[in-house]
Amino acid sequence: MAQDMVRLHVTANLPIRVEPLAFANRVELRFGQAFPAVLIVDRDALPQLIKALVNGQEALDASPGPVGGSR
């Protein structure tokens, strides 16, 4: 793993809060509670982020899944 990479493991029970930053034309996504990781996304980048997430979900749906586990 690269030393300058930040990884955030998003699970089904991880709280995610969305805060529109209308004054900055951005959306803030907060992952977690006490010390949240924050992702700030420009309005123009939202469709690209959404498309990437949908593509990732479609790829997982098309894959056989983990060996011996369930999805």
Side-chain angles (χ1 to χ4, degrees):
M1 179 168 59
Q3 294 295 338
D4 59 351
M5 182 183 298
V6 175
R7 288 186 170 219
L8 178 64
H9 184 181
V10 178
T11 61
N13 60 351
L14 179 71
I16 301 173
R17 295 178 313 281
V18 177
E19 181 70 29
L21 305 174
F23 65 91
N25 209 26
R26 296 177 178 143
V27 172
E28 180 180 272
L29 298 161
R30 291 182 177 212
F31 301 89
Q33 289 287 359
F35 300 101
V38 177
L39 176 65
I40 297 176
V41 184
D42 288 344
R43 178 190 294 262
D44 293 342
L46 282 170
Q48 182 179 354
L49 176 61
I50 293 166
K51 183 178 179 182
L53 291 170
V54 167
N55 288 344
Q57 183 175 22
E58 289 172 349
L60 286 174
D61 291 344
S63 73
V67 176
S70 62
R71 284 192 243 179

